[in-house]
Amino acid sequence: MRVCYFFSVIMLMHAYICFGDTAPFVISEEIMGTTVTQTIYGPHADKVAREASSRIREIESILSFHLPASDLSRLNNHAGKGDIVLKPETMYNLQKSIYYSGLTNGGFNVLVGPLVKLWKVTSPDADIPSAGQIAALMPLIDYRDLHVNIESGTARLDKKGQMADLGGIAKGYASDEVIAIYKKRGITKAIIDIGGNLGLLGFKAKDTPWCIGIQYPGKDRGNPACAVYLSDCSLSTSGAYERFFEKNGKIYHHIIDPSTGYPADTGLLSVSIIAPKSIDSDALSKIFVIGADKGIALIKRIPNTNAVLITKDKRIIVTDGLRHKFKLIAADDFTVQFK
Ligand code: AMP
Ligand code: MG
């Protein structure tokens, strides 16, 4: 979990003590290759959580890059062979991915799949690929070769070997779907956390927002560097410390710079984006690839969207919109810059 979730749970318990609220129902499971934690207040929370879990599993079965029978794998296996009919979930995520690939000038790149497969950073036998292996794949990594046709519900990949990977957006989408289930079932107060993609429903207590800690990169889980006060929105964090392997003293992490073929190295350790929807905050957290200056400039142009960036040189860069919602915790180690 990238975000120090325990922090908000502690706050919730506090709210319980102070306001006589009922204790939340909390459940953690492994789905979509990550930890999914639901914290739900109100009656029938266990039943609602089960419904949400099955929806997340269903989304995984449709959008997984790794499951051979997923809808996404059907598209990837069909690369270079023309249009293919896909499920609405796949179409929606592909369409959003193309949008964010363009908006970030290819920093987020939905066709990064062949590089993700080559680097396989989460596998126990992960190793640095040769320069030749990377170079051979680069002609495939062009998101403009993915075409979606919403009217016909079809998509196509122009070249054989091309692969769409929704790993940088689908967990956010799943988090939005869970929030929709909570609302449909009458829940007014809950948190869903899918591997660092948080959906926050309602307030911690009357007029009191949730306090969400942001992980101190490199420290054990549960050590926040800072925190933000939020309600009814989403927060997604992408961090270099999240999935990686180490070779000859160097870290090789899971966020790939599609312009070089190597893990992104822009002086950032983590990017947290706060936005109304998690599909957007998840995709936008890949400004990790374009670095702090371009990333912050982009976020400031998007309405209702803010960012907290933690840099290798111990700065925390925060967009102005969070000025009154931000709290520095590791004050001895970091300086804060509002932009
Ligand atoms: P996240 O879990 O949100 O940090 O996203 C990281 C995941 O997104 C990786 O495990 C890949 O599946 C995928 N990914 C890696 N690099 C990129 C990129 N430049 N653009 C889009 N997706 C990426
Ligand atoms: Mg994410």
Side-chain angles (χ1 to χ4, degrees):
M1 259 183 299
R2 273 156 270 192
V3 172
C4 311
Y5 179 67
F6 87 101
F7 202 66
S8 46
V9 173
I10 288 169
M11 295 294 194
L12 290 170
M13 296 302 185
H14 182 67
Y16 163 61
I17 294 160
C18 294
F19 300 99
D21 209 342
T22 50
F25 176 82
V26 182
I27 181 169
S28 281
E29 303 160 282
E30 290 299 307
I31 322 177
M32 296 183 94
T34 193
T35 307
V36 173
T37 303
Q38 304 187 60
T39 304
I40 309 175
Y41 285 79
H44 317 302
D46 55 336
K47 199 167 159 227
V48 178
R50 273 200 300 280
E51 184 181 347
S53 297
S54 5
R55 179 61 180 144
I56 303 168
R57 285 181 212 284
E58 184 181 33
I59 290 168
E60 178 179 32
S61 74
I62 297 169
L63 302 182
S64 170
F65 182 64
H66 306 286
L67 296 174
S70 74
D71 208 38
L72 187 69
S73 294
R74 284 180 52 243
L75 168 70
N76 290 340
N77 294 334
H78 203 74
K81 297 185 204 157
D83 290 306
I84 181 169
V85 177
L86 296 169
K87 290 184 191 286
E89 290 92 334
T90 318
M91 293 299 294
Y92 178 59
N93 277 269
L94 290 175
Q95 192 189 20
K96 277 274 190 183
S97 294
I98 292 173
Y99 173 74
Y100 282 114
S101 297
L103 195 72
T104 58
N105 207 9
F108 178 99
N109 185 328
V110 60
L111 290 203
V112 76
L115 289 169
V116 170
K117 202 169 167 196
L118 178 67
W119 278 95
K120 53 179 174 24
V121 292
T122 46
S123 141
D125 58 338
D127 204 351
I128 308 165
S130 72
Q133 283 176 302
I134 292 174
L137 296 181
M138 292 308 275
L140 300 176
I141 319 296
D142 185 347
Y143 68 89
R144 286 162 298 197
D145 289 342
L146 167 64
H147 309 273
V148 300
N149 185 327
I150 297 299
E151 271 107 78
S152 55
T154 58
R156 83 169 184 274
L157 289 164
D158 282 342
K159 298 177 196 148
K160 192 167 177 291
Q162 289 189 312
M163 292 176 204
D165 174 17
L166 297 170
I169 194 165
K171 292 190 286 292
Y173 168 69
S175 165
D176 291 337
E177 287 288 291
V178 168
I179 291 289
I181 290 172
Y182 291 166
K183 285 184 176 166
K184 195 166 85 186
R185 299 297 171 215
I187 302 289
T188 54
K189 180 172 165 182
I191 298 181
I192 172 71
D193 177 358
I194 306 184
N197 297 279
L198 269 77
L200 308 172
L201 180 60
F203 284 73
K204 182 188 82 172
K206 193 172 179 292
D207 300 330
T208 308
W210 308 97
C211 179
I212 306 293
I214 294 177
Q215 175 69 33
Y216 188 139
K219 289 222 168 167
D220 288 345
R221 297 277 182 243
N223 282 298
C226 57
V228 275
Y229 293 92
L230 302 169
S231 58
D232 278 322
C233 67
S234 78
L235 182 152
S236 298
T237 301
S238 279
Y241 55 86
E242 185 58 30
R243 291 163 198 234
F244 63 87
F245 68 90
E246 209 171 332
K247 185 92 192 249
N248 305 328
K250 198 170 172 329
I251 299 282
Y252 295 89
H253 62 79
H254 70 310
I255 306 160
I256 307 293
D257 181 344
S259 69
T260 63
Y262 286 81
D265 188 7
T266 51
L268 292 173
L269 291 175
S270 79
V271 171
S272 300
I273 302 290
I274 293 116
K277 291 237 171 203
S278 197
I279 190 165
D280 302 305
S281 55
D282 197 8
L284 283 169
S285 63
K286 263 48 96 190
I287 59 165
F288 192 103
V289 174
I290 59 174
D293 291 347
K294 285 185 191 158
I296 290 280
L298 172 62
I299 296 302
K300 286 177 82 72
R301 291 206 311 268
I302 307 173
N304 301 319
T305 302
N306 282 288
V308 177
L309 275 50
I310 303 186
T311 70
K312 282 186 187 167
D313 63 3
K314 299 275 179 190
R315 286 175 298 140
I316 303 183
I317 306 171
V318 186
T319 52
D320 248 338
L322 294 173
R323 198 175 271 273
H324 304 293
K325 298 178 179 174
F326 177 85
K327 180 174 153 189
L328 178 61
I329 294 170
D332 290 343
D333 297 343
F334 292 99
T335 56
V336 179
Q337 297 175 341
F338 288 99
K339 294 225 164 146

